[in-house]
Amino acid sequence: MSVLDRFRLDGRTAILTGVGPGVGEHVAKAYAELGANVVISARSRERLDRIAGEINAADGGRAIAIAADAGEKADLERLVAGARDAFGPIHIVFNNAAAGVVYAADGGLWANTDEVWKTAMEVNVMATWRLTELTEADMRAHGKGSIISVQSCGGFTPIPPAVAYGVSKVSGVSANGTDLRL
């Protein structure tokens, strides 16, 4: 018996946002390797198709790709509906999408325009809330679930001039370690 057998996710369905090269891709592949049905999402369809193809080519891998903008409520509704249509109830939500970073070359502090603030809050805060709201009934029905939100050091230590990004990441930090009773 492998130590990883304790972490099997057979038959469970996981939605992952912000899947690109890096954390999202690696977590999606790990979930699939542990037996989960994986629903990967990001704005870039080409990358998603590649990752889903690699997961499905692996022994026992089951993945679908749904292009969606985490900052758009209708896209998140479509993502959850597509996940349920493909695999049934949702067990895991992995919030990895992020937005709102600006750089000094973009104009410094004043590059944090109203649009940057709106995007940062929609993707980094509201998407997490919306996906929780959309999947809570599934998790309640089977008596358990996991909602995981990737945070950033920018939420703990400001990284000027990315003020909007930092503030939006602080919003999620206060929930770290909170036991969400459904």
Side-chain angles (χ1 to χ4, degrees):
M1 181 164 140
S2 165
V3 70
L4 290 180
D5 288 340
R6 295 175 44 202
F7 300 98
R8 296 296 308 170
L9 298 172
D10 299 302
R12 295 189 184 150
T13 298
I15 294 176
L16 296 88
T17 65
V19 175
V23 172
E25 178 176 352
H26 294 292
V27 171
K29 289 178 176 178
Y31 282 179
E33 188 176 330
L34 292 169
N37 303 313
V38 178
V39 181
I40 58 174
S41 179
R43 291 177 298 165
S44 171
R45 182 69 197 205
E46 182 179 324
R47 183 177 299 137
L48 291 174
D49 287 341
R50 176 190 58 80
I51 295 167
E54 290 173 5
I55 290 171
N56 288 325
D59 184 34
R62 290 179 43 137
I64 62 168
I66 300 176
D69 183 337
E72 297 293 330
K73 184 176 183 178
D75 280 12
L76 296 176
E77 291 168 344
R78 186 174 46 77
L79 171 61
V80 172
R84 284 190 186 120
D85 287 347
F87 299 122
I90 311 306
H91 300 82
I92 302 164
V93 175
F94 188 84
N95 296 293
N96 189 53
V101 176
V102 296
Y103 302 95
D106 296 333
L109 179 65
W110 302 114
N112 289 276
T113 63
D114 287 355
E115 190 59 34
V116 170
W117 278 95
K118 180 180 181 247
T119 301
M121 297 307 283
E122 286 293 325
V123 174
N124 302 341
V125 178
M126 292 307 298
T128 299
W129 172 254
R130 288 179 179 134
L131 282 173
T132 300
E133 185 178 39
L134 291 166
T135 59
E136 177 267 339
D138 292 358
M139 294 180 194
R140 185 181 302 277
H142 37 277
K144 60 184 171 184
S146 295
I147 299 168
I148 303 156
S149 295
V150 175
Q151 299 303 316
S152 167
C153 62
F156 296 99
T157 304
I159 305 171
V163 177
Y165 176 79
V167 168
S168 68
K169 286 300 190 174
V170 167
S171 299
V173 171
S174 62
N176 273 352
T178 300
D179 185 9
L180 178 62
R181 299 288 177 181
L182 300 176

PDB file of all heavy atoms in Angstrom, residues 95 124-126 128-129 132 146-152 155-156 167-181:
ATOM      1  N   ASN A  95      -9.600  27.107  -6.380  1.00  0.00           N
ATOM      2  CA  ASN A  95      -9.574  28.465  -6.920  1.00  0.00           C
ATOM      3  C   ASN A  95      -8.127  28.902  -7.119  1.00  0.00           C
ATOM      4  O   ASN A  95      -7.425  29.202  -6.156  1.00  0.00           O
ATOM      5  CB  ASN A  95     -10.262  29.430  -5.947  1.00  0.00           C
ATOM      6  CG  ASN A  95     -11.717  29.120  -5.768  1.00  0.00           C
ATOM      7  OD1 ASN A  95     -12.497  29.262  -6.692  1.00  0.00           O
ATOM      8  ND2 ASN A  95     -12.097  28.685  -4.574  1.00  0.00           N
ATOM      9  N   ASN A 124     -10.326  37.572  -7.951  1.00  0.00           N
ATOM     10  CA  ASN A 124      -9.651  37.104  -6.737  1.00  0.00           C
ATOM     11  C   ASN A 124     -10.566  36.941  -5.533  1.00  0.00           C
ATOM     12  O   ASN A 124     -10.239  36.202  -4.609  1.00  0.00           O
ATOM     13  CB  ASN A 124      -8.509  38.057  -6.379  1.00  0.00           C
ATOM     14  CG  ASN A 124      -7.500  38.179  -7.499  1.00  0.00           C
ATOM     15  OD1 ASN A 124      -7.420  37.342  -8.388  1.00  0.00           O
ATOM     16  ND2 ASN A 124      -6.734  39.245  -7.471  1.00  0.00           N
ATOM     17  N   VAL A 125     -11.696  37.637  -5.534  1.00  0.00           N
ATOM     18  CA  VAL A 125     -12.619  37.556  -4.392  1.00  0.00           C
ATOM     19  C   VAL A 125     -13.960  36.957  -4.809  1.00  0.00           C
ATOM     20  O   VAL A 125     -14.384  35.926  -4.298  1.00  0.00           O
ATOM     21  CB  VAL A 125     -12.831  38.945  -3.738  1.00  0.00           C
ATOM     22  CG1 VAL A 125     -13.823  38.855  -2.583  1.00  0.00           C
ATOM     23  CG2 VAL A 125     -11.503  39.515  -3.261  1.00  0.00           C
ATOM     24  N   MET A 126     -14.620  37.611  -5.734  1.00  0.00           N
ATOM     25  CA  MET A 126     -15.986  37.207  -6.082  1.00  0.00           C
ATOM     26  C   MET A 126     -16.049  35.830  -6.746  1.00  0.00           C
ATOM     27  O   MET A 126     -17.006  35.085  -6.520  1.00  0.00           O
ATOM     28  CB  MET A 126     -16.649  38.261  -6.971  1.00  0.00           C
ATOM     29  CG  MET A 126     -16.925  39.566  -6.238  1.00  0.00           C
ATOM     30  SD  MET A 126     -17.868  39.364  -4.700  1.00  0.00           S
ATOM     31  CE  MET A 126     -19.394  38.662  -5.319  1.00  0.00           C
ATOM     32  N   THR A 128     -14.278  33.229  -6.089  1.00  0.00           N
ATOM     33  CA  THR A 128     -14.230  32.247  -5.002  1.00  0.00           C
ATOM     34  C   THR A 128     -15.599  32.137  -4.332  1.00  0.00           C
ATOM     35  O   THR A 128     -16.098  31.041  -4.092  1.00  0.00           O
ATOM     36  CB  THR A 128     -13.154  32.652  -3.973  1.00  0.00           C
ATOM     37  OG1 THR A 128     -11.887  32.678  -4.639  1.00  0.00           O
ATOM     38  CG2 THR A 128     -13.112  31.698  -2.805  1.00  0.00           C
ATOM     39  N   TRP A 129     -16.211  33.274  -4.042  1.00  0.00           N
ATOM     40  CA  TRP A 129     -17.536  33.274  -3.433  1.00  0.00           C
ATOM     41  C   TRP A 129     -18.554  32.611  -4.350  1.00  0.00           C
ATOM     42  O   TRP A 129     -19.346  31.773  -3.923  1.00  0.00           O
ATOM     43  CB  TRP A 129     -17.966  34.700  -3.100  1.00  0.00           C
ATOM     44  CG  TRP A 129     -19.390  34.767  -2.650  1.00  0.00           C
ATOM     45  CD1 TRP A 129     -20.456  35.229  -3.352  1.00  0.00           C
ATOM     46  CD2 TRP A 129     -19.905  34.292  -1.405  1.00  0.00           C
ATOM     47  NE1 TRP A 129     -21.618  35.089  -2.622  1.00  0.00           N
ATOM     48  CE2 TRP A 129     -21.303  34.513  -1.420  1.00  0.00           C
ATOM     49  CE3 TRP A 129     -19.323  33.703  -0.284  1.00  0.00           C
ATOM     50  CZ2 TRP A 129     -22.120  34.172  -0.346  1.00  0.00           C
ATOM     51  CZ3 TRP A 129     -20.152  33.364   0.776  1.00  0.00           C
ATOM     52  CH2 TRP A 129     -21.526  33.594   0.743  1.00  0.00           C
ATOM     53  N   THR A 132     -18.196  28.862  -4.597  1.00  0.00           N
ATOM     54  CA  THR A 132     -18.660  28.266  -3.339  1.00  0.00           C
ATOM     55  C   THR A 132     -20.183  28.211  -3.337  1.00  0.00           C
ATOM     56  O   THR A 132     -20.787  27.179  -3.023  1.00  0.00           O
ATOM     57  CB  THR A 132     -18.144  29.074  -2.133  1.00  0.00           C
ATOM     58  OG1 THR A 132     -16.715  29.076  -2.160  1.00  0.00           O
ATOM     59  CG2 THR A 132     -18.631  28.487  -0.820  1.00  0.00           C
ATOM     60  N   SER A 146     -14.333  20.123  -0.395  1.00  0.00           N
ATOM     61  CA  SER A 146     -13.159  20.954  -0.160  1.00  0.00           C
ATOM     62  C   SER A 146     -13.182  22.144  -1.094  1.00  0.00           C
ATOM     63  O   SER A 146     -13.362  21.982  -2.300  1.00  0.00           O
ATOM     64  CB  SER A 146     -11.871  20.162  -0.396  1.00  0.00           C
ATOM     65  OG  SER A 146     -11.747  19.125   0.536  1.00  0.00           O
ATOM     66  N   ILE A 147     -12.996  23.324  -0.518  1.00  0.00           N
ATOM     67  CA  ILE A 147     -12.865  24.547  -1.288  1.00  0.00           C
ATOM     68  C   ILE A 147     -11.495  25.108  -0.946  1.00  0.00           C
ATOM     69  O   ILE A 147     -11.241  25.489   0.202  1.00  0.00           O
ATOM     70  CB  ILE A 147     -13.982  25.546  -0.945  1.00  0.00           C
ATOM     71  CG1 ILE A 147     -15.344  24.921  -1.277  1.00  0.00           C
ATOM     72  CG2 ILE A 147     -13.759  26.860  -1.694  1.00  0.00           C
ATOM     73  CD1 ILE A 147     -16.520  25.672  -0.724  1.00  0.00           C
ATOM     74  N   ILE A 148     -10.630  25.120  -1.925  1.00  0.00           N
ATOM     75  CA  ILE A 148      -9.236  25.516  -1.725  1.00  0.00           C
ATOM     76  C   ILE A 148      -8.990  26.765  -2.549  1.00  0.00           C
ATOM     77  O   ILE A 148      -9.265  26.792  -3.745  1.00  0.00           O
ATOM     78  CB  ILE A 148      -8.286  24.388  -2.169  1.00  0.00           C
ATOM     79  CG1 ILE A 148      -8.615  23.114  -1.395  1.00  0.00           C
ATOM     80  CG2 ILE A 148      -6.828  24.808  -2.005  1.00  0.00           C
ATOM     81  CD1 ILE A 148      -8.187  21.842  -2.086  1.00  0.00           C
ATOM     82  N   SER A 149      -8.467  27.793  -1.907  1.00  0.00           N
ATOM     83  CA  SER A 149      -8.170  29.038  -2.603  1.00  0.00           C
ATOM     84  C   SER A 149      -6.682  29.341  -2.485  1.00  0.00           C
ATOM     85  O   SER A 149      -6.161  29.484  -1.375  1.00  0.00           O
ATOM     86  CB  SER A 149      -8.984  30.191  -2.019  1.00  0.00           C
ATOM     87  OG  SER A 149     -10.354  29.966  -2.268  1.00  0.00           O
ATOM     88  N   VAL A 150      -6.021  29.441  -3.622  1.00  0.00           N
ATOM     89  CA  VAL A 150      -4.594  29.744  -3.651  1.00  0.00           C
ATOM     90  C   VAL A 150      -4.420  31.223  -3.320  1.00  0.00           C
ATOM     91  O   VAL A 150      -5.045  32.082  -3.931  1.00  0.00           O
ATOM     92  CB  VAL A 150      -3.987  29.414  -5.033  1.00  0.00           C
ATOM     93  CG1 VAL A 150      -2.534  29.829  -5.101  1.00  0.00           C
ATOM     94  CG2 VAL A 150      -4.154  27.934  -5.335  1.00  0.00           C
ATOM     95  N   GLN A 151      -3.616  31.492  -2.348  1.00  0.00           N
ATOM     96  CA  GLN A 151      -3.351  32.866  -1.933  1.00  0.00           C
ATOM     97  C   GLN A 151      -2.016  33.335  -2.513  1.00  0.00           C
ATOM     98  O   GLN A 151      -1.402  32.642  -3.300  1.00  0.00           O
ATOM     99  CB  GLN A 151      -3.352  32.950  -0.404  1.00  0.00           C
ATOM    100  CG  GLN A 151      -4.672  32.565   0.216  1.00  0.00           C
ATOM    101  CD  GLN A 151      -5.820  33.402  -0.295  1.00  0.00           C
ATOM    102  OE1 GLN A 151      -5.726  34.615  -0.418  1.00  0.00           O
ATOM    103  NE2 GLN A 151      -6.931  32.759  -0.617  1.00  0.00           N
ATOM    104  N   SER A 152      -1.585  34.491  -2.094  1.00  0.00           N
ATOM    105  CA  SER A 152      -0.369  35.081  -2.621  1.00  0.00           C
ATOM    106  C   SER A 152       0.355  35.825  -1.518  1.00  0.00           C
ATOM    107  O   SER A 152      -0.276  36.388  -0.621  1.00  0.00           O
ATOM    108  CB  SER A 152      -0.723  36.054  -3.749  1.00  0.00           C
ATOM    109  OG  SER A 152       0.376  36.862  -4.076  1.00  0.00           O
ATOM    110  N   GLY A 155      -0.800  39.293  -0.623  1.00  0.00           N
ATOM    111  CA  GLY A 155      -1.846  39.564   0.356  1.00  0.00           C
ATOM    112  C   GLY A 155      -1.308  39.771   1.750  1.00  0.00           C
ATOM    113  O   GLY A 155      -1.975  40.325   2.608  1.00  0.00           O
ATOM    114  N   PHE A 156      -0.096  39.326   1.988  1.00  0.00           N
ATOM    115  CA  PHE A 156       0.537  39.479   3.294  1.00  0.00           C
ATOM    116  C   PHE A 156       1.505  40.649   3.323  1.00  0.00           C
ATOM    117  O   PHE A 156       1.624  41.347   4.313  1.00  0.00           O
ATOM    118  CB  PHE A 156       1.307  38.203   3.668  1.00  0.00           C
ATOM    119  CG  PHE A 156       0.443  37.002   3.831  1.00  0.00           C
ATOM    120  CD1 PHE A 156       0.323  36.070   2.814  1.00  0.00           C
ATOM    121  CD2 PHE A 156      -0.266  36.788   4.999  1.00  0.00           C
ATOM    122  CE1 PHE A 156      -0.474  34.957   2.959  1.00  0.00           C
ATOM    123  CE2 PHE A 156      -1.073  35.674   5.152  1.00  0.00           C
ATOM    124  CZ  PHE A 156      -1.176  34.754   4.126  1.00  0.00           C
ATOM    125  N   VAL A 167      -4.723  43.983  -2.139  1.00  0.00           N
ATOM    126  CA  VAL A 167      -5.949  44.126  -1.348  1.00  0.00           C
ATOM    127  C   VAL A 167      -6.899  42.963  -1.617  1.00  0.00           C
ATOM    128  O   VAL A 167      -7.485  42.395  -0.693  1.00  0.00           O
ATOM    129  CB  VAL A 167      -6.637  45.482  -1.643  1.00  0.00           C
ATOM    130  CG1 VAL A 167      -8.037  45.522  -1.053  1.00  0.00           C
ATOM    131  CG2 VAL A 167      -5.789  46.622  -1.102  1.00  0.00           C
ATOM    132  N   SER A 168      -7.034  42.569  -2.876  1.00  0.00           N
ATOM    133  CA  SER A 168      -7.955  41.469  -3.195  1.00  0.00           C
ATOM    134  C   SER A 168      -7.455  40.143  -2.646  1.00  0.00           C
ATOM    135  O   SER A 168      -8.255  39.275  -2.317  1.00  0.00           O
ATOM    136  CB  SER A 168      -8.179  41.377  -4.710  1.00  0.00           C
ATOM    137  OG  SER A 168      -7.002  40.965  -5.375  1.00  0.00           O
ATOM    138  N   LYS A 169      -6.170  39.975  -2.528  1.00  0.00           N
ATOM    139  CA  LYS A 169      -5.637  38.738  -1.960  1.00  0.00           C
ATOM    140  C   LYS A 169      -5.744  38.721  -0.442  1.00  0.00           C
ATOM    141  O   LYS A 169      -5.840  37.668   0.166  1.00  0.00           O
ATOM    142  CB  LYS A 169      -4.181  38.520  -2.400  1.00  0.00           C
ATOM    143  CG  LYS A 169      -4.066  38.087  -3.857  1.00  0.00           C
ATOM    144  CD  LYS A 169      -4.808  36.789  -4.091  1.00  0.00           C
ATOM    145  CE  LYS A 169      -4.538  36.186  -5.437  1.00  0.00           C
ATOM    146  NZ  LYS A 169      -5.157  34.876  -5.596  1.00  0.00           N
ATOM    147  N   VAL A 170      -5.757  39.878   0.202  1.00  0.00           N
ATOM    148  CA  VAL A 170      -5.970  39.957   1.648  1.00  0.00           C
ATOM    149  C   VAL A 170      -7.362  39.449   1.975  1.00  0.00           C
ATOM    150  O   VAL A 170      -7.579  38.782   2.971  1.00  0.00           O
ATOM    151  CB  VAL A 170      -5.803  41.412   2.165  1.00  0.00           C
ATOM    152  CG1 VAL A 170      -6.337  41.554   3.579  1.00  0.00           C
ATOM    153  CG2 VAL A 170      -4.356  41.809   2.121  1.00  0.00           C
ATOM    154  N   SER A 171      -8.319  39.723   1.117  1.00  0.00           N
ATOM    155  CA  SER A 171      -9.704  39.323   1.349  1.00  0.00           C
ATOM    156  C   SER A 171      -9.822  37.830   1.577  1.00  0.00           C
ATOM    157  O   SER A 171     -10.616  37.382   2.380  1.00  0.00           O
ATOM    158  CB  SER A 171     -10.583  39.723   0.162  1.00  0.00           C
ATOM    159  OG  SER A 171     -10.555  41.105   0.006  1.00  0.00           O
ATOM    160  N   GLY A 172      -9.043  37.020   0.869  1.00  0.00           N
ATOM    161  CA  GLY A 172      -9.110  35.587   1.018  1.00  0.00           C
ATOM    162  C   GLY A 172      -8.279  35.074   2.172  1.00  0.00           C
ATOM    163  O   GLY A 172      -8.526  34.014   2.705  1.00  0.00           O
ATOM    164  N   VAL A 173      -7.270  35.832   2.586  1.00  0.00           N
ATOM    165  CA  VAL A 173      -6.363  35.371   3.623  1.00  0.00           C
ATOM    166  C   VAL A 173      -7.091  35.165   4.936  1.00  0.00           C
ATOM    167  O   VAL A 173      -6.837  34.216   5.653  1.00  0.00           O
ATOM    168  CB  VAL A 173      -5.189  36.366   3.796  1.00  0.00           C
ATOM    169  CG1 VAL A 173      -4.358  36.015   4.998  1.00  0.00           C
ATOM    170  CG2 VAL A 173      -4.333  36.369   2.544  1.00  0.00           C
ATOM    171  N   SER A 174      -8.058  36.016   5.249  1.00  0.00           N
ATOM    172  CA  SER A 174      -8.743  35.915   6.540  1.00  0.00           C
ATOM    173  C   SER A 174      -9.522  34.610   6.667  1.00  0.00           C
ATOM    174  O   SER A 174      -9.814  34.160   7.761  1.00  0.00           O
ATOM    175  CB  SER A 174      -9.683  37.099   6.738  1.00  0.00           C
ATOM    176  OG  SER A 174     -10.677  37.090   5.746  1.00  0.00           O
ATOM    177  N   ALA A 175      -9.824  33.965   5.547  1.00  0.00           N
ATOM    178  CA  ALA A 175     -10.565  32.720   5.593  1.00  0.00           C
ATOM    179  C   ALA A 175      -9.648  31.502   5.694  1.00  0.00           C
ATOM    180  O   ALA A 175     -10.125  30.389   5.880  1.00  0.00           O
ATOM    181  CB  ALA A 175     -11.442  32.584   4.342  1.00  0.00           C
ATOM    182  N   ASN A 176      -8.336  31.703   5.591  1.00  0.00           N
ATOM    183  CA  ASN A 176      -7.427  30.567   5.693  1.00  0.00           C
ATOM    184  C   ASN A 176      -7.617  29.857   7.019  1.00  0.00           C
ATOM    185  O   ASN A 176      -7.663  30.484   8.071  1.00  0.00           O
ATOM    186  CB  ASN A 176      -5.964  31.020   5.576  1.00  0.00           C
ATOM    187  CG  ASN A 176      -5.515  31.087   4.145  1.00  0.00           C
ATOM    188  OD1 ASN A 176      -6.211  30.674   3.248  1.00  0.00           O
ATOM    189  ND2 ASN A 176      -4.323  31.622   3.946  1.00  0.00           N
ATOM    190  N   GLY A 177      -7.737  28.556   6.968  1.00  0.00           N
ATOM    191  CA  GLY A 177      -7.870  27.763   8.163  1.00  0.00           C
ATOM    192  C   GLY A 177      -9.289  27.723   8.720  1.00  0.00           C
ATOM    193  O   GLY A 177      -9.540  27.065   9.712  1.00  0.00           O
ATOM    194  N   THR A 178     -10.202  28.433   8.112  1.00  0.00           N
ATOM    195  CA  THR A 178     -11.575  28.424   8.597  1.00  0.00           C
ATOM    196  C   THR A 178     -12.243  27.117   8.203  1.00  0.00           C
ATOM    197  O   THR A 178     -12.134  26.674   7.075  1.00  0.00           O
ATOM    198  CB  THR A 178     -12.366  29.601   7.989  1.00  0.00           C
ATOM    199  OG1 THR A 178     -11.737  30.812   8.386  1.00  0.00           O
ATOM    200  CG2 THR A 178     -13.801  29.590   8.472  1.00  0.00           C
ATOM    201  N   ASP A 179     -12.915  26.491   9.124  1.00  0.00           N
ATOM    202  CA  ASP A 179     -13.635  25.256   8.872  1.00  0.00           C
ATOM    203  C   ASP A 179     -15.026  25.634   8.395  1.00  0.00           C
ATOM    204  O   ASP A 179     -15.849  26.117   9.162  1.00  0.00           O
ATOM    205  CB  ASP A 179     -13.697  24.431  10.154  1.00  0.00           C
ATOM    206  CG  ASP A 179     -14.330  23.070   9.945  1.00  0.00           C
ATOM    207  OD1 ASP A 179     -14.563  22.700   8.788  1.00  0.00           O
ATOM    208  OD2 ASP A 179     -14.575  22.390  10.944  1.00  0.00           O
ATOM    209  N   LEU A 180     -15.273  25.460   7.102  1.00  0.00           N
ATOM    210  CA  LEU A 180     -16.559  25.806   6.533  1.00  0.00           C
ATOM    211  C   LEU A 180     -17.518  24.652   6.757  1.00  0.00           C
ATOM    212  O   LEU A 180     -17.395  23.592   6.171  1.00  0.00           O
ATOM    213  CB  LEU A 180     -16.411  26.084   5.033  1.00  0.00           C
ATOM    214  CG  LEU A 180     -17.675  26.407   4.266  1.00  0.00           C
ATOM    215  CD1 LEU A 180     -18.322  27.671   4.800  1.00  0.00           C
ATOM    216  CD2 LEU A 180     -17.380  26.565   2.776  1.00  0.00           C
ATOM    217  N   ARG A 181     -18.463  24.841   7.660  1.00  0.00           N
ATOM    218  CA  ARG A 181     -19.467  23.817   7.958  1.00  0.00           C
ATOM    219  C   ARG A 181     -20.621  23.975   7.005  1.00  0.00           C
ATOM    220  O   ARG A 181     -21.272  25.013   6.988  1.00  0.00           O
ATOM    221  CB  ARG A 181     -19.960  23.928   9.393  1.00  0.00           C
ATOM    222  CG  ARG A 181     -18.889  23.739  10.425  1.00  0.00           C
ATOM    223  CD  ARG A 181     -18.472  22.291  10.494  1.00  0.00           C
ATOM    224  NE  ARG A 181     -17.380  22.184  11.452  1.00  0.00           N
ATOM    225  CZ  ARG A 181     -16.787  21.064  11.719  1.00  0.00           C
ATOM    226  NH1 ARG A 181     -17.137  19.963  11.102  1.00  0.00           N
ATOM    227  NH2 ARG A 181     -15.814  21.020  12.579  1.00  0.00           N
TER     228      ARG A 181
END
